[in-house]
């Protein structure tokens, strides 16, 4: 029986490509929103969801932090996908005929050199693969898209130039999520990473005291993001990634100290570190 993984976007999106690279042979399920991808997993339409959480150039992905805690899903893995932008156009178009580049605004901001070199007018679209689909259906010889090689393959477009991104380290990190809340024992997981959210108590130096336990117990914190809840400037939630498993003594003690100073603490998942993360430690 084929297994299915959901993503936000249309076929050919970078999230689609990430699904195919991380889970070759699986059926990918395009969804119109992050919420829809999560719902597909909750409803049993998909086994997993691949959700972007941050990009090495653009920073965190909006809405993901807000949606994760109440999604009813658990994080069981991470995947890092190198973003390789291609300049796509209809068959017959050339670098000399194109005048406009269509894509998502973040993607357009990552290809400023090629836009200047070819004197292309940027045109904002909802997403990269959607831009490719639009050009395949309604584009002219003057229209190009900034999208993936997969989008070119799906929509029958020519690749006029590969790797047109300004920064070669452009990488997106994804959370892999499932509806089953399971946690392998610490002894069964190599190089574990734990993701959790918390809200500190309304008291002086609460955040400083809450995070102190990670320092005193030697826990490496690789991510700490803050964001408002319900538009309230005084209600702040934090999303964290740390090295370690909650059952390991050093992280267990750090989390106990965090609980003492927190109004709420929820572990979203513990999973093996990606080989990409391990290869780039200390870089």
């Amino acid at each position: 029986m084929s297994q299915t993984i959901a993503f936000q976007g249309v076929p050919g999106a970078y999230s689609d490509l990430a699904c195919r690279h991380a889970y070759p042979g699986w059926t990918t399920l395009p969804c119109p929103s992050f919420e829809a991808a999560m719902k597909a997993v909750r409803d049993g339409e998909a086994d997993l969801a691949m959700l972007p959480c941050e990009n090495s150039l653009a920073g965190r992905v909006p809405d993901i932090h807000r949606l994760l805690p109440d999604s009813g899903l658990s994080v069981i893995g991470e995947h890092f996908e190198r973003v390789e932008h291609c300049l796509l156009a209809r068959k017959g178009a050339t670098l000399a005929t194109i005048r406009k580049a269509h894509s998502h605004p973040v993607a357009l901001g990552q290809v400023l050199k090629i836009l200047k070199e070819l004197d292309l007018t940027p045109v904002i679209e909802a997403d990269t693969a959607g831009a490719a689909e639009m050009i395949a259906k309604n584009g002219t010889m003057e229209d190009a898209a900034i999208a993936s090689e997969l989008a070119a393959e799906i929509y029958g477009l020519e690749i006029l130039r590969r790797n047109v991104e300004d920064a070669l380290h452009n990488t997106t990190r994804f959370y892999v999520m499932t509806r089953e809340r399971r946690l392998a024992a610490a002894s069964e997981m190599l190089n574990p990473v734990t993701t959790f959210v918390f809200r500190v108590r309304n008291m002086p130096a609460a955040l400083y005291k809450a995070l102190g336990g990670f320092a005193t117990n030697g826990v490496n914190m690789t991510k700490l993001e803050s964001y408002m809840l319900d538009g309230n400037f005084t209600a702040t939630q934090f999303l964290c990634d740390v090295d370690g498993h909650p059952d390991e003594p050093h992280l267990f003690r750090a989390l106990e100290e965090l609980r003492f100073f927190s109004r709420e603490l929820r572990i979203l998942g513990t999973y093996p570190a990606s080989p990409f993360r391990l290869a780039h430690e200390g870089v």
Side-chain angles (χ1 to χ4, degrees):
M1 182 177 176
S2 175
Q3 293 177 291
T4 301
I5 181 167
F7 68 92
Q8 182 276 323
V10 300
Y14 285 104
S15 291
D16 187 5
L17 193 60
C19 291
R20 295 171 188 236
H21 285 162
Y23 295 89
W26 284 42
T27 299
T28 60
L29 177 65
C31 299
S33 65
F34 295 133
E35 293 97 326
M38 294 174 177
K39 185 176 186 298
V41 177
R42 287 197 302 270
D43 292 349
E45 297 176 30
D47 301 280
L48 301 174
M50 179 76 74
L51 302 173
C53 55
E54 56 192 330
N55 176 268
S56 60
L57 294 179
R60 78 181 183 192
V61 176
D63 292 334
I64 285 296
H65 301 66
R66 174 179 59 82
L67 296 171
L68 282 179
D70 299 319
S71 67
L73 306 180
S74 296
V75 184
I76 61 162
E78 64 177 353
H79 174 72
F80 292 81
E81 184 71 23
R82 168 81 165 81
V83 177
E84 298 178 307
H85 291 309
C86 295
L87 185 65
L88 314 179
R90 293 173 64 95
K91 295 186 184 301
T94 68
L95 294 177
T97 67
I98 58 174
R99 297 288 181 270
K100 295 175 286 186
H102 302 253
S103 198
H104 187 277
V106 171
L108 290 170
Q110 296 172 349
V111 295
L112 299 179
K113 291 180 182 178
I114 191 73
L115 295 181
K116 182 177 180 181
E117 175 190 339
L118 301 179
D119 193 24
L120 299 176
T121 300
V123 180
I124 293 176
E125 305 290 352
D127 54 55
T128 57
E133 182 181 26
M134 181 275 294
I135 287 175
K137 292 180 177 178
N138 304 309
T140 70
M141 294 297 108
E142 293 190 348
D143 294 300
I146 302 296
S148 68
E149 180 180 11
L150 178 61
E153 178 184 331
I154 290 174
Y155 300 112
L157 298 177
E158 296 278 5
I159 299 178
L160 301 184
R161 192 176 292 183
R162 298 175 184 271
N163 297 109
V164 297
E165 62 274 9
D166 297 334
L168 296 181
H169 62 76
N170 187 356
T171 303
T172 299
R173 178 178 177 237
F174 294 81
Y175 286 131
V176 181
M177 307 196 71
T178 184
R179 60 185 171 276
E180 298 177 10
R181 291 195 173 274
R182 62 179 186 267
L183 178 63
S187 59
E188 299 174 1
M189 190 179 299
L190 292 175
N191 304 304
V193 176
T194 296
T195 296
F196 59 91
V197 292
F198 71 94
R199 296 172 62 188
V200 294
R201 298 183 185 278
N202 188 17
M203 56 185 291
L207 180 59
Y208 172 81
K209 294 173 182 176
L211 297 181
F214 294 94
T216 56
N217 287 287
V219 176
N220 183 34
M221 182 174 288
T222 57
K223 179 184 181 71
L224 176 63
E225 294 268 7
S226 65
Y227 53 102
M228 291 187 298
L229 293 176
D230 303 320
N232 189 335
F233 285 96
T234 61
T236 303
Q237 186 156 276
F238 296 87
L239 174 68
C240 295
D241 291 332
V242 297
D243 291 345
H245 190 289
D247 292 342
E248 294 174 335
H250 64 301
L251 182 52
F252 180 84
R253 292 191 296 267
L255 291 173
E256 282 297 293
E257 193 163 339
L258 176 61
R259 284 189 179 91
F260 183 81
F261 293 104
S262 298
R263 295 173 54 191
E264 181 182 18
L265 169 62
R266 275 191 280 174
I267 294 177
L268 302 181
T270 298
Y271 46 92
S274 162
F276 180 94
R277 175 194 292 272
L278 299 175
H280 290 77
E281 281 186 347
V283 174

